[in-house]
């Protein structure tokens, strides 16, 4: 049993996401099709670049899968911009630092607002949602909170969260350091070892 490299795991994503069983939520019992692609945090730039290519390959022929990317960090920026406080937050961060910024804007970025924003972004015809920006949105958003709140909305659409850290099927550990609440309702998407691939 050998450990797969990040490149091998990234290469395994396209065939997995093309699989009709995944796209139709088949083969996972009655559970909602939420998946986690976890990876070492230092590979974040590599994963970001791969997601761009992956989306292009999925959207264009021959696949033509209706894919929507939800970037949690950009979602935060868009919400702040809609509330006309984005520039003020940049100024606050520059003058008083990250701790003051987090304390000030955390009440503005509640999970319900993020879910409402995501609902507006998705149109109801999507076949697959890719969630990115998880690490950049910390500590303002917690991944398990977003996933829990998305369950009632995305009951038929599979979602893949790109997670810079580790997920063992029950515990999310952002950056392999910060333990999120236990989360049992998502499936690891691509294993770390050949034995399970």
């Amino acid at each position: 049993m050998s450990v797969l490299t990040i490149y091998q795991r990234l290469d395994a994503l396209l065939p997995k996401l093309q699989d009709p069983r995944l796209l139709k939520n088949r083969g996972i019992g009655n559970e909602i099709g939420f998946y986690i692609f976890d990876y070492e945090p230092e590979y974040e730039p590599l994963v970001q670049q791969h997601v761009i290519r992956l989306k292009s390959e999925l959207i264009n022929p021959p696949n033509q899968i209706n894919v929507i990317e939800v970037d949690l960090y950009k979602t935060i920026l868009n919400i702040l911009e809609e509330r006309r406080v984005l520039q003020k937050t940049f100024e606050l961060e520059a003058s008083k630092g990250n701790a003051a910024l987090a304390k000030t804007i955390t009440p503005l970025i509640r999970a319900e607002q993020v879910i409402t924003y995501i609902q507006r972004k998705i149109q109801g015809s999507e076949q697959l949602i890719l969630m990115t920006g998880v690490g950049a949105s910390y500590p303002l958003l917690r991944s398990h909170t977003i996933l829990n709140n998305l369950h009632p909305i995305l009951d038929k659409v599979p979602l893949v969260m790109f997670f810079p850290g580790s997920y063992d099927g029950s515990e999310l550990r952002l950056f392999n350091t910060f333990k999120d609440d236990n989360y049992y309702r998502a499936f690891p998407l691509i294993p770390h070892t050949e034995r399970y691939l």
Side-chain angles (χ1 to χ4, degrees):
M1 172 176 66
S2 63
V3 176
L4 297 170
T5 68
I6 184 65
Y7 300 100
Q8 290 171 308
R9 294 183 69 234
L10 288 170
D11 286 345
L13 277 171
L14 182 61
K16 188 78 167 177
L17 298 180
Q18 292 170 317
D19 187 336
R21 289 174 298 173
L22 181 140
L23 292 171
K24 296 183 186 213
N25 281 343
R26 290 188 187 152
I28 55 173
N30 292 323
E31 289 294 322
I32 295 171
F34 281 18
Y35 301 88
I36 307 286
F37 181 82
D38 62 337
Y39 52 92
E40 294 298 319
E42 62 263 28
Y43 294 125
E44 180 68 26
L46 177 65
V47 172
Q48 286 179 8
Q49 289 300 312
H50 192 81
V51 168
I52 293 169
R53 286 193 306 275
L54 188 65
K55 274 175 45 185
S56 177
E57 290 178 12
L58 289 167
I59 290 168
N60 291 309
N63 294 306
Q64 295 182 295
I65 296 167
N66 189 4
V67 178
I68 292 177
E69 180 182 359
V70 174
D71 184 320
L72 292 180
Y73 180 70
K74 288 180 182 174
T75 298
I76 291 172
L77 295 180
N78 289 336
I79 290 171
L80 293 172
E81 187 158 14
E82 283 179 5
R83 299 187 80 170
R84 297 189 171 105
V85 294
L86 182 60
Q87 187 57 40
K88 289 179 184 175
T89 61
F90 290 147
E91 292 165 6
L92 178 65
E93 182 180 28
S95 65
K96 298 198 175 175
N98 286 340
L101 175 67
K103 184 178 178 183
T104 304
I105 67 172
T106 297
L108 300 175
I109 308 294
R110 293 190 312 273
E112 307 83 47
Q113 293 170 309
V114 174
I115 299 306
T116 299
Y117 183 89
I118 292 171
Q119 268 187 295
R120 285 195 334 246
K121 179 170 177 149
I122 59 180
Q123 302 299 315
S125 61
E126 61 284 333
Q127 294 173 276
L128 178 63
I129 295 175
L130 305 179
M131 184 168 287
T132 59
V134 173
S137 65
Y138 178 85
L140 300 174
L141 293 178
R142 302 299 292 265
S143 50
H144 79 279
T145 303
I146 298 303
L147 292 176
N148 279 329
N149 282 283
L150 281 173
H151 274 136
I153 297 164
L154 301 176
D155 58 343
K156 293 183 172 71
V157 181
L159 176 144
V160 176
M161 175 182 278
F162 290 85
F163 188 79
S166 59
Y167 179 62
D168 63 7
S170 64
E171 181 181 279
L172 289 161
R173 194 171 283 274
L174 187 64
F175 308 131
N176 295 328
T177 303
F178 302 109
K179 183 183 180 298
D180 227 328
D181 282 357
N182 284 354
Y183 187 80
Y184 302 95
R185 299 178 73 181
F187 302 91
L189 185 63
I190 304 292
H192 289 266
T193 59
E194 280 183 341
R195 177 181 175 185
Y196 300 105
L197 191 58

